[in-house]
């Protein structure tokens, strides 16, 4: 057991190091200089004043140091939990910007991932046993899972937001409200949350349903099923065994899909102007905000790694074979 | 069973696709059906803890990101309204009438060649109850002694700011730059000395300044990632002193997200004032959608700034003024105004001065030297200067035989400018000049522009203000530095023009003939040398709805004429006064 987790942790540590390094490098290889564009927005007339400000901000952000020094300082600050100051939202610390955005992103991601996974698997298993469902509804699943997140989001916004007028198409809650624990506010929050959630949920749901349906049809033709049937076991029991076997690849699939889902959430947020991380990343790129970009990516890297770790643990619990494997060595 | 389902898949998929496609095209046309359909969409009716609709003004178009600071010295990124709603200036300036009106100051006069005396208004208090005095004004100007404060260069020609009594300040100067000083008088937000004293340079320039304490009509209420909320404050001095009162109790400024969102909110009347550029708004103004602009016909908007095309005069062949002139004649501006903007903007005068500055334009100079779209004239100019098409590709080569192929850069994503750049490129090619439109990322563009590594670039950095000196400073400032980050991107060197610009700065604003004389000489140099080509005037983008508020500024009789905007640095040019003229749409 210890060796299994030790090896996993080592791999996660390495991934983290490499990913964070790449995140640090990417913005620095983009053309342009963030201080220049910040000052060009400042639109100060006198060149002398601009020069003084340039020197000040270049030193403040540490861009005057050699690259290797900047890199070391970055790790030093990171280990102290300091992600720097946002250039775009100057002078807000990056940590504050991200902490404000993360609840919205998690509020979209966690329910859509978990619900689509549970519902998709249940529905896929259910559909595999009903011919009419299998013939008519599953094709829709194929279409859904092949739909780009952004496209489905735009479609939903247009149909349910603009034409039907049921849901709002922008923001996290009504512009006439203030954050509070009132029912009006919570209702507005839910109303604004629904469409981005639905677009994420539907795409992922289609994928899981198809996967599960294929697994179940495969499992139902396996030898052990035929054997059980020959013994006269009730169909309920047979299906339960088939479902348990079919769920394992789906757990692996969940781990593999996490990155895609996060990317989907980012795009969806942009479509709905939902104030989460996706929105921030777009703005950070447009404004060459190195620190915000690093911070947002760092959060995503950590999030995906933690989720993968959780799935690893879950795997140990659901798949007895992993336990036996570990038992032999630990 | 498998076979049948395989047959069904394409059918279903095709059905979904076609449904989706018709949906997509429907949403891209101007959102005509959205108006009535989306009735109560985003703006839910007011409930507990909400802002009552009839007391709230919804604005948008200033903020491109979450409100991040309330520091009035950060004039480019403070939260909407920091200067104007919370902090106030000494004077107000109305660009439409070219009039200064005393605001925090009661009066101000030049009491000597190099001495300006300012009388302050009595009875003004900060929102924390402390009185506003001469000390605050002196303190604010002295903050400029810090190097990183943007108005630091003021101290190159200002000698001192002294207190005469509690409500009188005497400024003495080394050089009397009248034009610039007039600009400072209405641009500098006065901050309270008793709270700002002792702040370090870093805190002054980079401080967030949460909970701003100002003299203005509004106080900070709350903010979130997508909005900034101000609440009306009791005891604003102007209510007593000038009998002016701001009408909305709350002002909610919504952070820009996308044009579609802004358009949707406007149509639902969830937004009272949108200061975004919304392409195609002319159709909505003409149709019956309840959306109004300043003029009800082209150009619909007041003009706010000029878009210029800069030549990099340090490069060949842009160092040749004959070539530059030929380019100016080759640009089909009318096609940009009509085709790209649908008449939302106005073609520029050859001088490039905004319509509000028309009195400074010497019509004799612009009629003899001015240029207009004329491809034949462009070809003629090129031929006369020795630019000929030697290899028969329809594009000219330079007199030395070198190939000419230039790039006009505009930032990627600025769709209207990208389209305009394409028009420029095709009309220049028709005249035989090889100009390609190129769209680098904004930051990359700033980089090459400042370093002088471009051929041609579009720019509109300088906004309407009290003096055309600002534009000439932008065009002719010397010396050329290694990085030209704010002015003279083309690295055009003309000592005479720069001398005249400095002279213009020292003419008193009341001396109209004096200003006209120098401006005329500058226009002559500008049109003879053509270091830049003025193209069109961008609008003071402003769309209003009257669901909750009426009496918006417009060209119609008996309406206010202030610039209808809450953009940064425009509230002191009339935006605040606009708020005092608004009336609730229903009843009194």
């Amino acid at each position: 057991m210890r060796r299994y987790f030790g090896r996993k942790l080592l791999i996660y540590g390495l991934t983290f190091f490499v990913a964070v390094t790449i995140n640090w490098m990417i913005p620095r290889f983009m053309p342009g200089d963030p201080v220049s564009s910040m000052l060009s927005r400042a639109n100060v007339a006198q060149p002398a004043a601009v020069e003084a400000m340039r020197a000040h901000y270049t030193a403040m952000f540490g861009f005057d140091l050699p690259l290797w020094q900047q890199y070391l300082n970055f790790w030093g600050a990171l280990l102290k939990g300091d992600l720097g100051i946002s250039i775009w939202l100057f002078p807000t610390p990056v940590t504050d910007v991200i902490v404000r955005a993360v609840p919205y992103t998690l509020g979209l991601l966690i329910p859509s991932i978990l619900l689509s996974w549970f519902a998709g698997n249940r529905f896929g298993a259910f559909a595999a046993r009903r011919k009419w469902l299998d013939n008519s509804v599953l094709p829709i699943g194929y279409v859904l899972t092949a739909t780009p997140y952004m496209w489905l989001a735009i479609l939903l916004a247009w149909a349910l937001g603009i034409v039907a007028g049921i849901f709002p198409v922008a923001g996290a809650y009504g512009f006439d409200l203030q954050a509070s624990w009132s029912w009006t506010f919570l209702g507005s929050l839910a109303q604004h949350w629904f469409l981005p959630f639905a677009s994420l949920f539907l795409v992922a749901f289609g994928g899981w349903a198809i996967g599960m349906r294929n697994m179940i049809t495969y499992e139902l033709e396996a030898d052990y099923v035929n054997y059980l049937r020959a013994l006269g076991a009730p169909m309920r029991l047979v299906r339960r065994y088939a479902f348990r076997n079919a769920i394992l690849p789906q757990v692996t699939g969940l781990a593999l899909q996490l990155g895609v889902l996060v990317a989907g959430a980012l795009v969806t947020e942009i479509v709905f102007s939902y104030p989460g991380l996706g929105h921030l990343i777009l703005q950070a790129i447009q404004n060459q905000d190195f620190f915000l970009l690093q911070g947002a990516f760092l959060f995503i890297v950590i999030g995906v790694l933690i989720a993968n770790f959780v799935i690893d643990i879950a795997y140990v619990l659901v798949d007895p074979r992993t336990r036996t494997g570990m038992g032999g060595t630990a | 069973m498998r076979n049948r389902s395989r047959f069904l898949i394409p059918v279903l998929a095709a059905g979904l696709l076609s449904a989706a496609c018709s949906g997509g095209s429907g949403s891209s046309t101007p959102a005509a059906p959205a108006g009535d359909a989306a009735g109560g969409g985003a703006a839910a009716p007011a409930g507990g803890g909400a802002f009552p609709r009839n007391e709230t003004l919804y604005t948008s178009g200033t903020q491109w990101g979450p409100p991040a600071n309330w520091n009035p010295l950060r004039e480019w990124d403070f939260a909407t309204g920091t200067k104007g709603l919370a902090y106030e200036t000494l004077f107000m300036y109305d660009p439409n009438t070219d009039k200064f009106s005393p605001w925090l100051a009661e009066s101000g006069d030049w009491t000597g060649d190099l001495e300006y005396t300012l009388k302050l208004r009595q009875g003004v208090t900060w929102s924390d109850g402390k009185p506003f005095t001469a000390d605050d004004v002196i303190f604010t100007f002295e903050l400029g002694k810090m190097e990183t404060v943007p108005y630091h260069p003021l101290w190159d020609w200002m000698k001192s700011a002294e207190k005469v009594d509690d409500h009188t300040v005497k400024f003495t100067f080394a050089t009397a730059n009248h034009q610039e000083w007039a600009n400072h008088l209405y641009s500098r937000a006065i901050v309270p000395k008793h709270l700002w004293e002792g702040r370090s340079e870093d805190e002054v320039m980079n401080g967030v300044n949460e909970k701003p304490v100002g003299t203005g009509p509004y106080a900070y209420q709350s903010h979130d990632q997508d909005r900034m909320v101000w609440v009306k404050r009791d005891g604003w001095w102007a209510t007593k002193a000038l009998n002016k009162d701001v009408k909305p109790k709350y002002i909610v400024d919504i952070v820009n997200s996308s044009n579609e969102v802004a358009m949707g909110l406007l149509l639902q009347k969830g937004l009272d004032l949108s200061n975004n550029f919304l392409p195609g708004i002319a159709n909505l103004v003409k149709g019956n959608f309840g959306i109004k602009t300043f003029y009800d016909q082209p150009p619909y908007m007041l003009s706010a700034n000029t878009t210029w095309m800069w030549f990099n005069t340090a490069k060949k062949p842009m160092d040749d003024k004959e070539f530059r002139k030929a380019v100016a004649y080759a640009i089909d501006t009318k096609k940009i105004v009509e085709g790209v903007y649908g008449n939302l903007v106005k073609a520029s005068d050859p001088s490039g001065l905004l319509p509000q500055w028309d009195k400074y334009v010497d019509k004799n100079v612009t009629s003899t030297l001015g240029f207009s779209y004329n491809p034949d004239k462009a070809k003629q100019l090129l031929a006369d200067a020795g630019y000929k098409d030697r290899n028969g590709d329809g594009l000219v080569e330079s007199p030395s035989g070198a190939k000419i192929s230039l790039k006009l850069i505009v930032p990627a994503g600025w769709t209207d400018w990208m389209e305009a750049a394409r028009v420029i490129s095709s009309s220049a090619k028709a005249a035989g000049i090889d100009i390609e439109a190129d769209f680098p990322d904004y930051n990359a563009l700033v980089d090459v522009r400042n370093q002088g590594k471009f051929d041609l670039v579009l720019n509109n950095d300088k906004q309407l203000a009290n003096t055309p000196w600002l534009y000439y400073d932008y065009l002719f400032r010397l010396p050329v530095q290694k990085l030209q980050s704010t002015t003279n991107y083309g690295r055009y060197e003309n000592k005479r023009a720069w001398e005249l610009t400095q002279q213009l700065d020292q003419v008193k604003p009341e001396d109209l003939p004096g200003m006209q004389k120098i401006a005329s000489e500058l226009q002559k140099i500008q049109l003879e040398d053509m270091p830049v080509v003025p193209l069109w005037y961008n609008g003071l983008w402003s769309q209003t709805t009257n669901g909750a508020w009426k009496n918006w500024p417009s060209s119609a009789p008996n309406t206010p004429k202030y610039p209808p905007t809450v953009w940064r640095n425009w509230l002191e040019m009339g935006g605040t006064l606009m708020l005092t003229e608004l009336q609730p749409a229903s009843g009194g």
Side-chain angles (χ1 to χ4, degrees):
Chain A
M1 183 81 92
R2 191 182 297 159
R3 200 165 128 194
Y4 174 81
F5 281 111
R7 205 166 51 211
K8 284 278 176 199
L9 282 177
L10 183 73
I11 291 170
Y12 284 138
L14 268 176
T15 319
F16 178 75
F17 176 77
V18 172
V20 169
T21 303
I22 292 174
N23 289 344
W24 179 86
M25 272 158 55
I26 291 172
R28 280 168 179 77
F29 286 118
M30 298 199 300
D33 162 23
V35 174
S36 276
S37 35
M38 173 174 167
L39 291 177
S40 98
R41 268 186 288 273
N43 203 0
V44 177
Q46 279 78 5
V50 177
E51 270 323 300
M53 288 168 77
R54 178 196 309 287
H56 175 76
Y57 287 113
T58 308
M60 166 180 270
F61 292 121
F63 294 144
D64 50 345
L65 302 172
L67 269 183
W68 63 268
Q69 184 83 48
Q70 287 187 43
Y71 182 66
L72 288 186
N73 289 353
F74 161 71
W75 274 108
L78 186 63
L79 294 178
K80 279 183 264 163
D82 176 12
L83 293 173
I85 290 171
S86 166
I87 302 175
W88 172 50
L89 296 177
F90 193 84
T92 326
V94 169
T95 346
D96 287 5
V97 181
I98 292 180
V99 162
R100 266 181 260 148
V102 159
Y104 291 112
T105 299
L106 288 185
L108 281 185
L109 267 178
I110 294 180
S112 62
I113 289 177
L114 294 182
L115 283 178
S116 68
W117 194 81
F118 278 113
N121 281 326
R122 288 273 159 211
F123 184 76
F126 180 69
R129 292 174 271 126
R130 302 270 187 302
K131 265 191 189 166
W132 61 273
L133 261 185
D134 205 28
N135 291 351
S136 56
V137 182
L138 269 188
I140 296 178
Y142 279 105
V143 175
L144 280 181
T145 187
T147 314
Y149 286 98
M150 191 172 68
W151 197 61
L152 186 70
I154 292 172
L155 223 64
L156 284 176
W158 176 75
L160 295 178
I162 309 256
V163 175
I166 306 171
F167 291 102
V169 291
Y173 55 92
F175 287 117
D176 56 345
L177 295 175
Q178 287 188 77
S180 62
W181 287 110
S182 70
W183 285 113
T184 332
F185 174 75
L186 293 178
S188 176
L189 203 62
Q191 209 186 13
H192 283 76
W193 167 84
F194 184 78
L195 279 189
F197 161 77
S199 64
L200 283 176
F201 173 81
L202 284 177
V203 174
F205 173 82
W208 298 130
I210 290 164
M212 193 60 187
R213 175 253 176 209
N214 290 345
M215 288 309 301
I216 287 279
T217 39
Y218 172 80
E219 290 291 338
L220 285 181
E221 282 160 26
D223 289 344
Y224 70 89
V225 171
N226 288 332
Y227 180 64
L228 273 175
R229 274 186 182 159
L231 288 181
M235 204 49 204
R236 244 181 90 79
L237 184 77
V238 176
R239 279 191 221 120
R240 231 169 60 209
Y241 275 107
F243 186 79
R244 280 187 179 183
N245 277 308
I247 203 82
L248 284 177
Q250 295 290 80
V251 176
T252 322
L254 184 59
L256 292 174
Q257 280 288 307
L258 270 178
V260 180
L261 282 165
V262 170
L266 302 188
V267 180
T268 309
E269 282 174 15
I270 292 167
V271 172
F272 289 100
S273 316
Y274 204 70
L277 279 179
H279 189 67
L280 282 187
I281 289 177
L282 180 75
Q283 293 295 339
I285 292 173
Q286 282 174 352
N287 292 283
Q288 264 209 338
D289 192 339
F290 291 2
F291 304 99
L292 184 54
L293 202 56
Q294 275 162 204
F297 279 140
L298 179 78
F299 181 83
I300 290 175
V301 168
I302 293 177
V304 170
L305 290 180
I306 289 179
N308 269 296
F309 188 67
V310 170
I311 290 171
D312 273 339
I313 294 173
Y315 218 91
V316 174
L317 297 180
V318 279
D319 189 355
R321 282 170 298 186
T322 13
R323 275 196 302 263
T324 353
M326 286 183 307
T329 50
Chain B
M1 154 189 138
R2 295 261 157 81
N3 289 337
R4 223 181 310 147
S5 81
R6 223 178 282 151
F7 165 76
L8 269 170
I9 294 166
V11 176
L12 259 169
L16 272 176
L17 267 173
S18 64
C21 288
S22 59
S25 64
S27 67
S28 67
T29 53
D36 32 53
F51 307 117
R53 185 66 185 94
N54 58 357
E55 292 180 73
T56 311
L57 178 75
Y58 289 95
T59 63
S60 182
T62 309
Q63 296 252 140
W64 290 93
N69 73 73
W70 292 264
N71 186 339
L73 296 186
R74 298 182 65 83
E75 288 175 6
W76 61 96
D77 65 1
F78 58 56
T80 309
T82 299
K83 182 167 78 170
L85 299 184
Y87 295 96
E88 292 183 300
T89 54
L90 294 167
F91 282 80
M92 286 266 182
Y93 174 72
D94 183 348
N96 295 334
T97 54
D98 189 21
K99 279 213 172 64
F100 282 85
S101 44
W103 201 244
L104 286 179
E106 201 170 68
S107 65
D109 292 292
W110 286 90
T111 43
D113 280 346
L114 296 170
E115 189 187 286
Y116 184 90
T117 309
L118 192 72
K119 286 254 176 238
L120 299 179
R121 209 177 276 282
Q122 312 245 355
V124 178
T125 51
W126 296 100
S127 58
D128 64 357
K130 294 255 169 44
F132 159 80
T133 68
D135 290 325
D136 298 315
V137 176
I138 293 166
F139 176 77
T140 302
F141 278 96
E142 288 192 338
L143 279 180
K145 287 185 172 170
M146 296 176 174
E147 264 212 334
T148 52
V149 169
Y151 53 91
H152 175 68
L154 169 66
W155 286 92
D156 293 346
W157 47 277
M158 184 154 107
K159 275 210 304 234
S160 68
E162 288 157 35
K163 178 172 170 173
V164 177
D165 60 49
D166 259 2
H167 293 92
T168 315
V169 185
K170 193 175 80 186
F171 297 94
T172 45
F173 299 90
T175 320
N177 288 334
H178 286 93
Q179 303 281 330
E180 243 177 295
W181 178 244
N183 186 274
H184 278 292
L185 282 176
Y186 79 88
S187 302
R188 300 285 76 87
I190 306 299
V191 299
K193 183 183 181 186
H194 65 274
L195 295 173
W196 283 61
E197 206 173 21
R199 292 191 189 183
S200 69
E201 179 163 350
D202 189 51
E203 280 171 280
V204 166
M205 240 1 256
N206 302 328
V208 181
N209 194 37
E210 281 160 288
K211 311 272 144 63
V213 171
T215 53
Y218 287 89
Y220 171 95
Q221 202 265 355
S222 63
H223 79 280
D224 201 345
Q225 287 191 76
D226 55 359
R227 71 200 70 185
M228 170 68 222
V229 186
W230 296 96
V231 62
K232 188 175 164 181
R233 142 179 119 74
D234 290 332
W236 182 40
W237 60 269
T239 318
K240 223 193 270 170
L242 299 173
N243 200 17
K244 285 190 185 301
D245 188 23
V246 287
K247 303 301 185 304
K249 175 151 193 227
Y250 299 101
I251 295 182
V252 180
D253 188 69
I254 298 167
V255 172
N256 290 332
S257 44
S258 68
N259 280 344
E260 291 73 34
V261 171
M263 192 79 96
L265 283 172
L266 262 180
L267 287 166
Q268 295 166 19
K269 306 213 166 164
L271 197 57
D272 300 307
L273 170 66
S274 160
N275 294 125
N276 288 301
F277 166 61
L278 299 174
I281 194 74
N283 295 329
L284 295 182
V285 172
K286 277 183 261 165
N288 198 12
F289 293 96
I291 297 177
K292 293 253 183 331
T293 47
F294 192 86
Y295 299 106
D296 55 6
Q297 57 198 20
Y300 300 98
M301 316 281 170
L302 291 167
S303 297
N305 57 64
T306 312
T307 301
W308 306 81
M309 184 170 82
W310 281 95
F311 294 101
N312 186 349
T313 62
K315 265 189 177 179
K316 275 181 187 313
M318 284 84 71
D319 59 342
D320 180 357
K321 67 178 180 186
E322 295 306 319
F323 177 81
R324 299 197 294 257
K325 269 190 217 169
V327 174
Y329 277 99
I331 298 173
D332 190 354
T333 317
K334 193 163 168 254
K335 205 168 162 191
I336 298 176
V337 170
E338 289 171 4
V340 178
Y341 283 97
N343 284 315
L344 282 180
V345 302
K346 238 170 129 169
S348 166
D349 182 81
S351 68
L353 293 189
L354 289 158
Q356 292 90 334
W357 285 331
D358 192 53
K359 60 183 170 197
Y360 304 115
V361 178
D362 188 336
K363 298 287 174 349
N364 287 328
V365 172
T366 51
S367 62
T368 49
L369 295 172
F371 61 94
S372 57
Y373 174 55
N374 186 343
D376 294 329
K377 174 96 193 228
K379 283 179 191 161
Q380 188 59 44
L381 280 169
L382 287 171
D384 291 350
Y387 294 86
K388 290 200 182 70
D389 179 14
R390 284 160 224 264
N391 56 12
D393 60 354
L395 301 166
V396 297
E397 279 79 47
S398 72
S400 67
K403 200 169 151 36
I404 295 176
S405 123
L406 305 175
K407 278 209 169 95
L408 167 63
I409 49 172
V410 302
W414 296 28
T415 46
D416 45 332
W417 282 32
M418 287 159 74
E419 211 43 57
R422 287 193 191 104
V423 171
I424 294 170
S425 158
S426 66
S427 63
K429 275 184 185 156
I433 309 163
D434 187 6
I435 296 179
E436 275 306 330
D438 189 25
F439 315 120
D441 163 70
Y442 176 79
N443 300 295
L445 178 134
V446 168
D447 235 24
V448 295
R449 185 191 70 200
N450 294 1
Q451 294 172 17
K453 288 184 185 158
F454 65 97
D455 299 329
L456 301 158
V457 64
L458 294 190
N459 186 273
N460 70 333
D461 278 355
K462 288 289 171 283
Q463 301 282 324
L464 176 63
N466 63 315
T467 166
W469 165 80
L470 212 71
Y471 267 33
Y472 291 116
D473 181 66
Y474 167 70
L475 298 183
F476 299 123
R477 180 175 272 275
L478 292 180
V480 170
Q481 320 256 338
K482 206 167 134 256
L483 290 175
Q484 286 291 94
S485 42
T486 55
T487 54
N488 195 356
Y489 298 122
R491 295 158 186 258
Y492 168 71
E493 297 193 53
N494 186 325
K495 290 217 174 64
R496 176 74 191 135
W498 176 230
E499 271 169 33
L500 284 167
T501 307
Q502 286 168 302
Q503 281 172 27
L504 179 63
D505 196 4
Q506 291 167 31
V507 179
K508 289 194 175 185
E510 311 82 82
D511 181 8
L512 184 61
M515 287 176 73
Q516 282 168 331
K517 192 169 152 286
I518 299 175
S520 158
E521 282 188 63
L522 284 165
Q523 281 151 25
K524 207 159 158 241
I525 293 176
Q526 187 193 329
L527 290 170
E528 274 172 351
D529 267 20
M530 202 71 74
V532 287
V533 185
L535 297 173
W536 71 85
Y537 302 132
N538 289 296
L540 180 67
W541 315 124
S542 177
Q543 294 87 17
T544 57
T545 59
N546 49 13
W549 302 99
K550 59 182 188 189
N551 203 27
W552 291 101
S554 79
S555 63
N558 301 323
T559 53
K561 299 285 176 280
Y562 304 115
T565 184
V566 290
W567 277 351
R568 291 188 188 97
N569 308 323
W570 280 80
L571 283 167
E572 60 273 21
M573 292 213 280
T576 307
L577 293 168
M578 165 190 79
L579 297 175
T580 65
E581 300 284 344
L582 288 179
Q583 293 162 6
S586 51

